[in-house]
Amino acid sequence: MAERAALEELVKLQGERVRGLKQQKASAELIEEEVAKLLKLKAQLGPDESKQKFVLKTPKGTRDYSPRQMAVREKVFDVIIRCFKRHGAEVIDTPVFELKETLMGKYGEDSKLIYDLKDQGGELLSLRYDLTVPFARYLAMNKLTNIKRYHIAKVYRRDNPAMTRGRYREFYQCDFDIAGNFDPMIPDAECLKIMCEILSSLQIGDFLVKVNDRRILDGMFAICGVSDSKFRTICSSVDKLDKVSWEEVKNEMVGEKGLAPEVADRIGDYVQQHGGVSLVEQLLQDPKLSQNKQALEGLGDLKLLFEYLTLFGIDDKISFDLSLARGLDYYTGVIYEAVLLQTPAQAGEEPLGVGSVAAGGRYDGLVGMFDPKGRKVPCVGLSIGVERIFSIVEQRLEAELLYKKNPKLLNQLQYCEEAGIPLVAIIGEQELKDGVIKLRSVTSREEVDVRREDLVEEIKRRTGQPLCIC
Amino acid sequence: MAERAALEELIEEEVAKLLKLKAQLGPDESKQKFVLKTPKGTRDYSPRQMAVREKVFDVIIRCFKRHGAEVIDTPVFELKETLMGKYGEDSKLIYDLKDQGGELLSLRYDLTVPFARYLAMNKLTNIKRYHIAKVYRRDNPAMTRGRYREFYQCDFDIAGNFDPMIPDAECLKIMCEILSSLQIGDFLVKVNDRRILDGMFAICGVSDSKFRTICSSVDKLDKVSWEEVKNEMVGEKGLAPEVADRIGDYVQQHGGVSLVEQLLQDPKLSQNKQALEGLGDLKLLFEYLTLFGIDDKISFDLSLARGLDYYTGVIYEAVLLQTPAQAGEEPLGVGSVAAGGRYDGLVGMFDPKGRKVPCVGLSIGVERIFSIVEQRLEALEEKIRTTETQVLVASAQKKLLEERLKLVSELWDAGIKAELLYKKNPKLLNQLQYCEEAGIPLVAIIGEQELKDGVIKLRSVTSREEVDVRREDLVEEIKRRTGQPLCIC
């Protein structure tokens, strides 16, 4: 405090000196000198406190990752990336923003949630909203006709926080996609195999993968009597069946969306069904559905899919669920969504919906929207909702990262215990003379003198590290 | 009325059908005249470039972890006011987000200011952390060819009140370890001190008001001759010639700890309190660097004067001694691959009570290193693999898709990296070609006779040798050949 007062005094004196010089009309150079000294003194005083009234925070909907949260994140990404690599995927990265026109017209109503950059005289830019549209742009730009790639990066959505508590505006997506013209359903089956491998390896509890098909939905609604104009809005009602009862869904469709009650009932007969491949076979026999060309295509593909899933050993995790209807904007074939069967505490909900931890499907028309000649590249993929998984894993793990700095031996040992460091190499004057280091095991408290030249090998031996530099 | 309603509904129906048909037609080609590109100054990373990037980050992160650093991450944008007033003239290069009715935001310009904000926000008084992330600068591309607007920074910083020069020495040790491990050629680390520069200019007669601009001239000494620098200072910046000469006597000097000792004896410099402080700290630093075994890589260089905005003590910059072809220059300057220093006043600018947290750190200029490493790998003709697949599950005959699916699933479940072609009846030649292009070392070939015999043909892609392996031994055999531990990892 006294220092500050002394400084303030110096500033005051220097200020007077400057004023005096100016009055005397001293040389410009001299005045400039003394003004510089004044500014230097003011700078030492520190910033003007009245100016410093800004809030110390991250922007709304974003957060820092502390070392503890990074440890969780690293563990989760490690499992996911290992799986992607196991399936032979390459990895790419794209810029955090795209030309605004690249993203325009791809997200329907959600377009209002896109972050734009300020027009600063150059190109108009927007932050990426997902990793799928950049992928399609990358394929078209590089004229690629097939690739199997993963991409892990943050995406940005100006979600209205009033709508959903805890929803982030900046969050990670882990995408895996297979692009290319291949024999039917093999890559689609591999995507589901990957989803199951990841969710099993993460050990976050039992899960179920719901599967449906855009063409089955189209066909089903058509034969029930839903007009094309009502398709999307009826879809979003039907999709709520995983959260609310059929009664509520029917009321919404009839009462709010003007659907005829008998049409709603017909829909109800279908969408409340779920099962395995037997349901597929049953529907293939359905007198009305089997008349619809689209539905037949979808059902045929699902039958083939189930065959492959059985060979992959995951058919017990898959449920053909006719109420799965969300996120249909660019999907053209099979769609799927993985849900956890237990519901752990929710923090930082990922926009895939309550209980959902991964989703995806086939989208054959997207790349064609970017290609100048409209050339199509069929794609199928999946996205893992890691933010939700982070919070589940964080609760499961016990990670302690205390940080103490004190030269007392007791405190150094305590630091080891808290941080989980297994060994201590203790230097002492006598030991230095004898050419040894005391190596102590933190857990057993056993100490042994190790010759200095043997120390590296001994530590590597005890920590299971290969003897060569890796 | 009912008729009208019915008509309206019918019209709506048919319009929907029309839209559906149009959608199938594809987007209006006349509307589709946009350019397929990434924004100016940004680029995609192809799988090959990602492989290079992964190798480089692996070396760097290993080193940071070896030194006990924790890792953090921060959002890509900050409140505009967080970044305001921290970058001087460079502030005009900051990307702002559009005002869409909420908070005013800007993309981060570096990782140091977010770090200071993080420390102040969490009231941390000490931490050793690294942070690897992209930063954003609206550089004018006309000024420097190939300069990126989105690029990676790898920062390592030690914050806290400690005994002098120990963390500073560790930062230099880390810089040397990383640059050695990357094997990008010989390098030199120049070291100087803000206080020595201040003191030196003061005793030479440079006015405070000219400090920053004289600094930027002096800093050019690594690229141009002293004559040119002197001309700029005297001719363009109005410095008296004799002042320039005095500066010249000092700034052309560089050396080891002996230069430090020599300057400590300098009659004028030793009268300046600031310079003495700086010199004393550098002397101590050199002692520690000698104990760390890196004193031969360090040069005390009085012309090192750049990036001084928030540095308060020691400053350093690593340069490569050879100059490989330059592509995608990182704004650390020609030849420079890493830099850093001590900045004791920054966190205090964020803390509401102005509480200071001393910091020292370094930043690795990885973009430059990416291109050097990529060139090196190409020169060695080392094939850069973009996948890690160990075995392709193949079949020579038709109707064996099911068997391939079963086998590849077994391999995945055993932790083996495997692929299969997405064709029902692929030709063997195509499958082998796929392996050669992707660098996959092994093929597991299923055949009808082999199935009856309970074996799989395991073929080495490079040697073309084939051997029959019993199906139950296949996993172990693949792991043995690919050097993988037998337990699942």
Side-chain angles (χ1 to χ4, degrees):
Chain A
M1 279 301 287
E3 258 186 53
R4 195 181 168 79
L7 256 175
E8 283 171 349
E9 184 64 22
L10 281 172
V11 168
K12 188 169 144 221
L13 287 171
Q14 184 64 14
E16 281 167 24
R17 178 164 167 75
V18 168
R19 272 187 292 279
L21 283 172
K22 283 180 175 173
Q23 265 181 351
Q24 292 163 34
K25 296 200 196 307
S27 76
E29 209 178 75
L30 183 58
I31 290 174
E32 195 182 53
E33 265 291 302
E34 299 298 324
V35 165
K37 282 190 189 151
L38 176 63
L39 290 174
K40 208 168 167 185
L41 284 168
K42 276 186 159 180
Q44 280 180 47
L45 205 56
D48 187 354
E49 298 237 357
S50 63
K51 285 197 192 135
Q52 203 171 311
K53 279 188 173 50
F54 63 75
V55 188
L56 217 49
K57 64 188 278 289
T58 53
K60 179 188 290 186
T62 70
R63 56 165 170 143
D64 296 319
Y65 285 79
S66 69
R68 183 199 163 93
Q69 292 164 321
M70 289 298 285
V72 169
R73 184 171 116 178
E74 221 163 290
K75 275 190 178 15
V76 172
F77 283 164
D78 190 58
V79 168
I80 294 174
I81 291 172
R82 235 185 253 273
C83 183
F84 290 158
K85 285 184 171 179
R86 187 159 57 244
H87 288 256
E90 302 179 297
V91 59
I92 68 165
D93 197 10
T94 64
V96 79
F97 41 64
E98 298 274 342
L99 296 179
K100 191 175 158 78
E101 52 196 46
T102 299
L103 302 186
M104 271 198 325
K106 308 293 185 309
Y107 301 105
E109 278 189 14
D110 289 344
S111 298
K112 62 182 188 286
L113 299 180
I114 295 177
Y115 276 99
D116 289 327
L117 266 72
K118 184 173 165 183
D119 184 348
Q120 287 170 290
E123 302 162 320
L124 290 183
L125 307 169
S126 300
L127 296 183
R128 62 186 171 214
Y129 186 84
D130 65 6
L131 301 179
T132 308
V133 168
F135 176 51
R137 192 263 309 142
Y138 177 86
L139 290 177
M141 197 166 131
N142 294 286
K143 295 184 177 12
L144 296 170
T145 51
N146 67 71
I147 187 175
K148 182 165 50 183
R149 81 94 184 76
Y150 72 91
H151 187 186
I152 297 179
K154 291 180 189 166
V155 299
Y156 299 86
R157 302 182 184 183
R158 288 180 65 241
D159 261 322
N160 186 349
M163 304 294 293
T164 348
R165 216 177 62 203
R167 182 169 282 194
Y168 289 118
R169 291 182 161 189
E170 173 189 68
F171 58 93
Y172 266 102
Q173 279 197 332
C174 297
D175 280 25
F176 171 97
D177 293 80
I178 300 171
N181 236 311
F182 303 116
D183 287 345
M185 304 319 280
I186 310 177
D188 312 54
E190 187 167 9
C191 284
L192 286 161
K193 175 68 174 166
I194 286 169
M195 213 183 256
C196 290
E197 277 179 23
I198 289 175
L199 294 178
S200 298
S201 306
L202 286 172
Q203 295 179 304
I204 45 176
D206 289 328
F207 61 92
L208 179 73
V209 183
K210 304 186 209 171
V211 164
N212 198 356
D213 193 293
R214 173 68 190 260
R215 297 160 292 176
I216 296 175
L217 273 164
D218 278 356
M220 179 177 74
F221 285 168
I223 60 154
C224 288
V226 179
S227 60
D228 279 353
S229 58
K230 282 190 166 41
F231 175 79
R232 201 154 276 175
T233 186
I234 295 302
C235 262
S236 81
S237 292
V238 161
D239 188 63
K240 294 179 184 173
L241 262 177
D242 62 341
K243 298 182 212 73
V244 304
S245 70
W246 167 245
E247 308 315 323
E248 284 189 60
V249 171
K250 181 179 171 182
N251 282 339
E252 184 181 275
M253 295 197 299
V254 174
E256 291 175 36
K257 301 187 175 180
L259 200 67
E262 51 287 5
V263 173
D265 285 331
R266 279 177 229 141
I267 292 176
D269 286 338
Y270 286 114
V271 301
Q272 292 182 86
Q273 300 194 64
H274 54 84
V277 68
S278 51
L279 176 59
V280 180
E281 279 157 3
Q282 180 191 313
L283 291 175
L284 277 164
Q285 306 300 321
D286 181 283
K288 285 188 286 177
L289 209 51
S290 55
Q291 298 301 312
N292 182 282
K293 184 168 169 237
Q294 274 196 303
L296 268 184
E297 261 184 48
L299 286 165
D301 275 352
L302 279 199
K303 183 166 181 211
L304 186 56
L305 179 69
F306 265 99
E307 281 175 33
Y308 296 161
L309 297 179
T310 306
L311 292 166
F312 279 164
I314 56 169
D315 51 307
D316 59 330
K317 297 259 188 312
I318 316 291
S319 168
F320 172 31
D321 189 325
L322 280 156
S323 74
L324 177 61
R326 50 179 293 290
L328 286 190
D329 273 64
Y330 46 61
Y331 291 128
T332 54
V334 66
I335 52 178
Y336 33 82
E337 181 182 289
V339 291
L340 293 181
L341 296 177
Q342 308 168 32
T343 37
Q346 285 140 24
E349 301 227 352
E350 220 274 345
L352 280 177
V354 173
S356 168
V357 280
R362 175 161 283 285
Y363 53 105
D364 289 346
L366 188 61
V367 179
M369 292 179 74
F370 285 98
D371 187 272
K373 296 189 179 161
R375 266 181 300 233
K376 285 189 163 188
V377 177
C379 297
V380 65
L382 64 104
S383 190
I384 309 282
V386 274
E387 297 289 339
R388 182 110 199 288
I389 292 170
F390 288 161
S391 26
I392 296 171
V393 172
E394 203 172 341
Q395 287 161 26
R396 205 167 37 90
L397 278 181
E398 293 153 6
E400 287 178 24
L401 291 164
L402 277 173
Y403 200 85
K404 273 191 159 68
K405 275 196 166 353
N406 189 307
K408 292 202 169 62
L409 185 61
L410 191 62
N411 285 316
Q412 290 169 91
L413 295 177
Q414 205 171 339
Y415 173 68
C416 287
E417 282 188 31
E418 283 159 358
I421 299 172
L423 296 171
V424 196
I426 306 172
I427 299 171
E429 282 181 36
Q430 184 56 45
E431 287 83 359
L432 276 173
K433 289 188 189 125
D434 299 338
V436 296
I437 307 281
K438 236 187 233 322
L439 191 60
R440 175 184 171 116
S441 158
V442 174
T443 38
S444 76
R445 302 193 183 185
E446 277 170 28
E447 285 183 359
V448 65
D449 284 346
V450 178
R451 294 209 60 76
R452 198 189 175 98
E453 53 269 23
D454 300 331
L455 186 63
V456 168
E457 197 179 307
E458 180 62 18
I459 291 173
K460 284 186 169 176
R461 191 184 64 76
R462 292 204 196 193
T463 54
Q465 201 170 325
L467 289 175
C468 56
I469 294 176
C470 55
Chain B
M1 277 302 285
E3 270 184 45
R4 194 178 170 76
L7 261 173
E8 276 178 353
E9 207 179 79
L10 181 60
I11 290 173
E12 198 181 51
E13 264 293 300
E14 298 300 322
V15 165
K17 282 190 190 152
L18 174 63
L19 290 174
K20 209 169 168 186
L21 284 167
K22 274 189 161 180
Q24 283 181 46
L25 202 60
D28 187 355
E29 298 236 0
S30 65
K31 286 197 192 134
Q32 203 173 311
K33 282 196 169 43
F34 62 76
V35 188
L36 217 49
K37 64 188 277 287
T38 53
K40 180 188 291 187
T42 70
R43 56 165 170 143
D44 295 319
Y45 284 80
S46 69
R48 185 196 163 85
Q49 291 164 323
M50 288 298 285
V52 170
R53 183 172 117 180
E54 218 163 295
K55 274 186 184 5
V56 173
F57 281 165
D58 191 56
V59 168
I60 294 174
I61 292 172
R62 235 184 251 276
C63 183
F64 290 158
K65 284 185 170 175
R66 195 178 322 129
H67 287 257
E70 304 179 297
V71 60
I72 68 166
D73 196 11
T74 64
V76 79
F77 42 62
E78 298 274 344
L79 296 178
K80 190 176 158 77
E81 52 195 45
T82 298
L83 302 186
M84 272 200 319
K86 307 293 184 307
Y87 302 106
E89 277 188 15
D90 290 341
S91 298
K92 61 183 187 288
L93 301 180
I94 295 177
Y95 276 98
D96 289 327
L97 267 73
K98 184 173 164 183
D99 184 348
Q100 289 171 288
E103 300 164 320
L104 291 182
L105 308 169
S106 301
L107 296 183
R108 65 186 169 214
Y109 185 85
D110 65 5
L111 301 179
T112 307
V113 169
F115 177 51
R117 191 265 307 143
Y118 177 88
L119 290 177
M121 196 168 131
N122 295 285
K123 295 185 176 13
L124 295 171
T125 50
N126 66 70
I127 187 173
K128 184 164 49 180
R129 79 94 182 79
Y130 71 91
H131 187 188
I132 297 178
K134 291 181 190 165
V135 299
Y136 300 86
R137 302 182 183 182
R138 288 181 63 241
D139 262 323
N140 185 349
M143 303 295 294
T144 348
R145 214 178 60 202
R147 183 167 283 196
Y148 288 117
R149 292 183 161 189
E150 173 189 67
F151 59 92
Y152 264 103
Q153 278 197 331
C154 297
D155 279 25
F156 172 97
D157 293 78
I158 300 172
N161 237 311
F162 302 116
D163 289 344
M165 304 319 279
I166 310 176
D168 311 55
E170 187 167 13
C171 283
L172 286 160
K173 176 68 174 164
I174 285 169
M175 213 183 254
C176 291
E177 278 179 20
I178 289 175
L179 295 177
S180 298
S181 306
L182 286 170
Q183 295 178 303
I184 44 177
D186 288 329
F187 62 91
L188 179 73
V189 182
K190 302 186 209 170
V191 163
N192 197 357
D193 192 291
R194 173 67 190 262
R195 296 161 292 177
I196 295 174
L197 272 163
D198 277 356
M200 179 176 77
F201 285 169
I203 59 157
C204 289
V206 179
S207 61
D208 279 352
S209 57
K210 282 191 166 41
F211 176 79
R212 202 152 278 176
T213 186
I214 295 301
C215 263
S216 81
S217 293
V218 161
D219 187 62
K220 293 178 185 172
L221 262 178
D222 62 344
K223 300 183 211 74
V224 303
S225 70
W226 167 245
E227 306 315 321
E228 284 189 59
V229 172
K230 180 178 171 180
N231 283 340
E232 185 183 272
M233 296 198 295
V234 173
E236 290 174 37
K237 302 188 175 181
L239 197 67
E242 54 280 12
V243 175
D245 284 333
R246 277 178 229 142
I247 291 175
D249 286 339
Y250 286 114
V251 300
Q252 293 182 86
Q253 300 193 69
H254 53 83
V257 66
S258 50
L259 176 58
V260 179
E261 277 157 6
Q262 180 191 312
L263 291 174
L264 277 165
Q265 305 301 320
D266 182 285
K268 286 188 286 178
L269 208 50
S270 56
Q271 298 300 309
N272 182 282
K273 184 167 168 243
Q274 273 196 302
L276 268 185
E277 262 184 48
L279 287 164
D281 275 352
L282 279 198
K283 183 164 181 215
L284 186 57
L285 179 68
F286 266 99
E287 280 172 38
Y288 296 157
L289 297 179
T290 307
L291 293 166
F292 277 162
I294 56 170
D295 49 308
D296 58 331
K297 298 261 191 307
I298 316 289
S299 168
F300 171 31
D301 190 327
L302 280 157
S303 73
L304 178 61
R306 51 179 289 291
L308 286 190
D309 272 65
Y310 45 60
Y311 290 128
T312 54
V314 66
I315 51 178
Y316 34 81
E317 180 181 290
V319 292
L320 293 180
L321 295 178
Q322 306 168 34
T323 36
Q326 286 140 27
E329 301 227 351
E330 219 276 346
L332 280 179
V334 174
S336 168
V337 281
R342 176 162 284 285
Y343 52 105
D344 290 346
L346 187 62
V347 179
M349 291 178 75
F350 286 97
D351 187 273
K353 295 191 180 162
R355 265 181 301 232
K356 285 189 167 189
V357 177
C359 297
V360 64
L362 64 104
S363 190
I364 310 283
V366 274
E367 298 290 339
R368 183 111 199 289
I369 292 170
F370 290 160
S371 26
I372 295 171
V373 171
E374 205 178 334
Q375 280 163 31
R376 189 165 52 90
L377 289 173
E378 269 166 35
L380 290 174
E381 289 186 10
E382 257 186 51
K383 187 177 161 72
I384 302 175
R385 277 199 69 181
T386 54
T387 64
E388 297 180 10
T389 308
Q390 297 160 314
V391 58
L392 183 78
V393 173
S395 57
Q397 299 145 331
K398 296 192 174 187
K399 303 206 176 169
L400 287 173
L401 172 64
E402 283 192 19
E403 292 299 328
R404 277 159 51 219
L405 290 174
K406 258 197 287 188
L407 182 58
V408 80
S409 184
E410 272 175 44
L411 296 180
W412 288 331
D413 290 344
I416 291 182
K417 300 172 199 165
E419 290 185 71
L420 85 165
L421 259 55
Y422 301 124
K423 291 205 99 46
K424 283 189 283 214
N425 299 308
K427 292 195 167 60
L428 186 62
L429 196 61
N430 290 334
Q431 290 167 99
L432 295 177
Q433 205 168 344
Y434 180 80
C435 289
E436 282 189 35
E437 282 165 15
I440 301 173
L442 297 171
V443 199
I445 308 173
I446 298 173
E448 282 181 31
Q449 186 55 48
E450 287 82 357
L451 277 174
K452 291 191 187 118
D453 298 338
V455 297
I456 308 284
K457 237 188 229 323
L458 190 61
R459 174 186 171 117
S460 158
V461 174
T462 39
S463 76
R464 303 191 184 184
E465 277 171 27
E466 287 184 356
V467 66
D468 284 347
V469 178
R470 293 206 60 74
R471 195 185 178 102
E472 52 270 24
D473 299 331
L474 185 63
V475 167
E476 199 177 308
E477 181 62 17
I478 292 173
K479 286 186 173 178
R480 193 184 63 78
R481 291 202 195 195
T482 54
Q484 203 170 328
L486 290 175
C487 58
I488 294 177
C489 59

